[in-house]
Amino acid sequence: MGAVTTNESSLHAQRTHHPSSSTQNLTLISILRTVPDWADAIKERGMQQKRSLYNHETWVEHRSSRRHVRHLLSSFSSRVILSLIPPVIAFTSVAVIVASYNSAVTFHWLPEFFPLLRASSLPYQLTAPALALLLVFRTEASYSRFEEGRKAWTKIIAGTNDFARQVIAGVESSGDALLKKALLQYIMAFPVALKCHVIYGSDMRQDLQNLLEVDDLAVVLSSKHRPRCIIEFISQSLQLLNLDDAKRHVLESKLSCFHEGIGVCEQLMGIPIPLSYTRLTSRFLVLWHLTLPIILWEDCNWIVVPATFISAASLFCIEEVSFFLSPLDSAIHSFILSSFL
């Protein structure tokens, strides 16, 4: 009986101790995630910033010989640089730990059986070209997708302008004035709805409230696929217009540009650069910088710390830029849409 009581007491003690341990683990994890979450929040806010098209004045400023000073002074507000803080701090901390350990071994502050962490630099010399090619191909693939997205949106805006022009010129009956106005509103609303459809965090209600009537906006917001809902509105409006079959067929053919635009944008959004390639580049970078202090210790000693910092900041910056070259970046859509609206 006494043994059973003892076992129950020990089990109770384990149960009461477990929540405290879990709480401590959660607190440690939340602390470690604070900086990455902060950097990610800055990155996502930057993705949603609106930018305007360049004009003559902005081009003069862009190619000014003072641009290097301006870019250097704006480093601490750069979303690319701020997003590098978590990995750069992590790998620089690893370099500090390795340097401290090796210094302790060198000065015999640790027992003799602790080895000195050092290795030949030959493996790095052999693999450096592979890492460079991975980063170059990654950036090139990202820019190709960026260019594809830019061309797709330029085609959508050009098709929207042409569609609206033909409606204005082709619908001449005074009895269709209200329907014509509604049709033009639908045409103007389509690229805005598509932009909101493919950009994370967009507020479609706010963006469309000045383009659609309240009832139409409610129907669009409640639909499963909002850009296709607006295309359906356009198609129904064309059927109600007092037009001959030839004109109606010409106007309906313009909808193919909208369907094609939806297909390209959803493909770019849903199919990223092959994940195996992205993961390989990331793993290569991580392993490279985890072992870099060991490789450089023989020649650099404590200089491995700034060397690791510079290497991590440089190489991870190139990799980070490839992620910012998103074909559906809100900045692209914003300045293209601003030229239309």
Side-chain angles (χ1 to χ4, degrees):
M1 187 69 178
V4 173
T5 305
T6 303
N7 291 335
E8 290 179 352
S9 300
S10 61
L11 289 174
H12 177 71
Q14 291 178 1
R15 291 193 191 101
T16 55
H17 177 69
H18 182 68
S20 177
S21 177
S22 300
T23 304
Q24 291 177 357
N25 291 334
L26 290 175
T27 303
L28 178 60
I29 293 174
S30 62
I31 292 174
L32 293 176
R33 292 187 58 179
T34 299
V35 175
D37 290 345
W38 169 78
D40 290 341
I42 292 177
K43 184 192 305 184
E44 294 304 321
R45 284 200 302 268
M47 297 287 285
Q48 297 176 9
Q49 288 180 355
K50 293 185 177 181
R51 302 180 184 181
S52 59
L53 287 167
Y54 269 37
N55 54 30
H56 294 293
E57 289 75 16
T58 49
W59 270 114
V60 169
E61 183 182 6
H62 181 66
R63 58 176 176 258
S64 171
S65 59
R66 298 188 299 271
R67 66 184 181 276
H68 304 293
V69 176
R70 184 176 68 251
H71 295 163
L72 181 62
L73 295 177
S74 63
S75 297
F76 294 104
S77 61
S78 169
R79 55 181 174 146
V80 175
I81 293 178
L82 292 177
S83 64
L84 295 176
I85 291 178
V88 171
I89 289 179
F91 293 116
T92 305
S93 301
V94 171
V96 171
I97 293 172
V98 171
S100 301
Y101 170 82
N102 281 344
S103 296
V105 173
T106 302
F107 292 113
H108 305 289
W109 294 342
L110 295 175
E112 294 293 335
F113 58 83
F114 280 94
L116 188 67
L117 297 179
R118 59 183 177 182
S120 172
S121 62
L122 182 60
Y124 267 50
Q125 297 174 15
L126 295 176
T127 57
L131 178 59
L133 289 175
L134 281 174
L135 291 174
V136 169
F137 290 158
R138 163 82 194 180
T139 307
E140 180 64 25
S142 297
Y143 184 78
S144 298
R145 290 166 55 81
F146 173 93
E147 186 68 11
E148 185 179 357
R150 186 191 64 81
K151 289 180 179 179
W153 270 97
T154 302
K155 187 174 181 179
I156 291 171
I157 299 304
T160 302
N161 286 329
D162 185 53
F163 195 178
R165 179 186 60 81
Q166 292 203 22
V167 169
I168 293 173
V171 181
E172 301 173 347
S173 175
S174 58
D176 291 334
L178 293 177
L179 192 56
K180 177 181 178 181
K181 179 182 177 182
L183 177 58
L184 289 174
Q185 288 177 335
Y186 298 149
I187 295 172
M188 293 177 63
F190 173 78
V192 181
L194 182 56
K195 181 204 73 166
C196 296
H197 176 67
V198 298
I199 295 179
Y200 175 74
S202 298
D203 188 348
M204 185 171 290
R205 180 183 298 275
Q206 181 178 357
D207 290 345
L208 290 179
Q209 63 183 359
N210 295 326
L211 296 175
L212 297 177
E213 300 295 334
V214 176
D215 295 340
D216 293 335
L217 180 59
V219 174
V220 170
L221 294 177
S222 62
S223 64
K224 293 183 178 179
H225 197 290
R226 293 162 180 178
R228 295 192 189 278
C229 178
I230 293 181
I231 290 179
E232 185 64 25
F233 282 171
I234 295 174
S235 181
Q236 292 176 1
S237 300
L238 290 175
Q239 295 298 322
L240 296 175
L241 287 174
N242 185 21
L243 296 173
D244 57 68
D245 293 338
K247 283 187 176 181
R248 182 176 287 107
H249 178 72
V250 169
L251 293 178
E252 287 179 343
S253 65
K254 299 297 178 181
L255 292 175
S256 61
C257 177
F258 290 176
H259 287 290
E260 182 181 353
I262 292 175
V264 172
C265 290
E266 289 186 340
Q267 179 182 4
L268 290 173
M269 180 179 65
I271 306 176
I273 293 175
L275 296 179
S276 58
Y277 191 90
T278 301
R279 290 166 181 165
L280 174 62
T281 306
S282 177
R283 290 163 183 159
F284 204 142
L285 279 171
V286 170
L287 292 176
W288 177 281
H289 289 93
L290 283 177
T291 56
L292 183 61
I294 300 174
I295 298 295
L296 296 180
W297 175 257
E298 190 71 26
D299 298 324
C300 301
N301 290 333
W302 271 90
I303 300 179
V304 298
V305 176
T308 302
F309 173 85
I310 294 173
S311 176
S314 302
L315 297 182
F316 276 95
C317 183
I318 297 173
E319 195 238 5
E320 192 71 22
V321 167
S322 68
F323 280 96
F324 281 103
L325 288 177
S326 168
L328 300 178
D329 193 317
S330 59
I332 303 174
H333 296 174
S334 295
F335 71 67
I336 291 179
L337 287 172
S338 66
S339 65
F340 168 70
L341 296 177

